[in-house]
Amino acid sequence: MMQLPLEHNFPEPIVNALKPWMGSLELLPIRQIDDRLTELDDRPLLIALRQLGFEGLVTLNYRMLRNPSELAAVIKTGLTVFAIEGVGHDPLRATGALLLDLPSAVNAVEAGATGVFWMRPRTPQPQDPHDLFDEAATRRHEDPDALYASVEVSDAELQTPVLAAS
C-alpha cells in the first residue's frame, strides 16, 4: 500500500471519508504521521518524510518548485511531489483537484516514474449552448437552424409531465 502524506491544508474529514474508495493508496495527513511535521518548512519536511520512509508528498505549495533549496531536497530525497496550483487555500477545491489527477499520477509512479507532478486544475467557464449546438450542426454538415427545427423541444413537450403517475 502506498501511503501518501498530505500537507496540513487538506480537510481530514473529507480525506478520511474517501478511504473506502482509495484502493491501495492511503492519503495520510501529516498531522497523523507526527504533529511536529506541521511546523516544518518545506525543505526539512521533505527530508523528514524521506527519513520516515515515505515516497512522496502532496502539497498546495507549488511555489516550492521554483525554490532551489527546496528543489535540492526533492532531488536528494527522491520523493515524488504532487503539487497543486491554482486552488488558493480552498481545501475543498484542493481535494477535488487532487482526486481528479491523482489516479493517473499514481499509476505513473507505480510504473516507475518519479519526480514532480505539477497539477494545474482548470477553472471551467460557462459556454453558450447555442454555440455548442452550432458546432454540433457544423460537425454534422447541417444547417444549424434546420437541425434545430427538427429537434426543437415544443411548448407542449415541455409542459407534458415526464414523470406522470402510472
Side-chain angles (χ1 to χ4, degrees), residues 16 34-35 39 46 48 60 75-76 80 83 85 91 111 118 145:
N16 290 335
D34 188 317
D35 220 13
E39 304 300 320
L46 293 164
L60 296 181
I75 292 167
K76 184 65 175 183
T80 299
E85 179 181 354
W118 199 330
D145 293 331

Side-chain angles (χ1 to χ4, degrees), residues 33-83:
I33 298 167
D34 188 317
D35 220 13
R36 296 172 292 178
L37 294 172
T38 63
E39 304 300 320
L40 297 177
D41 289 332
D42 292 321
R43 181 181 173 108
L45 174 61
L46 293 164
I47 294 168
L49 289 173
R50 171 49 69 203
Q51 291 170 349
L52 292 170
F54 290 98
E55 299 175 44
L57 171 67
V58 177
T59 181
L60 296 181
N61 186 9
Y62 65 92
R63 289 179 183 91
M64 81 162 57
L65 304 177
R66 295 186 176 126
N67 183 315
S69 175
E70 291 157 352
L71 282 170
V74 171
I75 292 167
K76 184 65 175 183
T77 62
L79 289 177
T80 299
V81 175
F82 302 86

Side-chain angles (χ1 to χ4, degrees), residues 81-101:
V81 175
F82 302 86
I84 303 169
E85 179 181 354
V87 295
H89 295 289
D90 184 332
L92 190 56
R93 283 193 74 214
T95 304
L98 174 64
L99 294 175
L100 184 63
D101 289 333

Side-chain angles (χ1 to χ4, degrees), residues 1-164:
M1 171 172 282
M2 177 187 229
Q3 292 184 314
L4 194 54
L6 300 171
E7 73 166 351
H8 57 276
N9 292 333
F10 289 87
E12 289 184 39
I14 293 173
V15 170
N16 290 335
L18 295 170
K19 286 182 181 181
W21 295 278
M22 297 307 293
S24 64
L25 175 67
E26 181 181 11
L27 299 175
L28 193 59
I30 61 172
R31 186 191 63 72
Q32 291 179 12
I33 298 167
D34 188 317
D35 220 13
R36 296 172 292 178
L37 294 172
T38 63
E39 304 300 320
L40 297 177
D41 289 332
D42 292 321
R43 181 181 173 108
L45 174 61
L46 293 164
I47 294 168
L49 289 173
R50 171 49 69 203
Q51 291 170 349
L52 292 170
F54 290 98
E55 299 175 44
L57 171 67
V58 177
T59 181
L60 296 181
N61 186 9
Y62 65 92
R63 289 179 183 91
M64 81 162 57
L65 304 177
R66 295 186 176 126
N67 183 315
S69 175
E70 291 157 352
L71 282 170
V74 171
I75 292 167
K76 184 65 175 183
T77 62
L79 289 177
T80 299
V81 175
F82 302 86
I84 303 169
E85 179 181 354
V87 295
H89 295 289
D90 184 332
L92 190 56
R93 283 193 74 214
T95 304
L98 174 64
L99 294 175
L100 184 63
D101 289 333
L102 190 61
S104 60
V106 168
N107 287 341
V109 169
E110 289 174 347
T114 60
V116 173
F117 291 86
W118 199 330
M119 301 170 175
R120 296 177 173 113
R122 60 186 181 90
T123 303
Q125 298 298 313
Q127 292 185 285
D128 185 331
H130 295 94
D131 293 341
L132 296 174
F133 190 91
D134 289 349
E135 290 172 20
T138 300
R139 280 193 306 276
R140 294 173 62 141
H141 305 290
E142 296 189 37
D143 175 67
D145 293 331
L147 180 58
Y148 189 78
S150 72
V151 297
E152 181 177 13
V153 175
S154 69
D155 291 339
E157 183 181 3
L158 188 59
Q159 293 173 6
T160 302
V162 172
L163 303 176

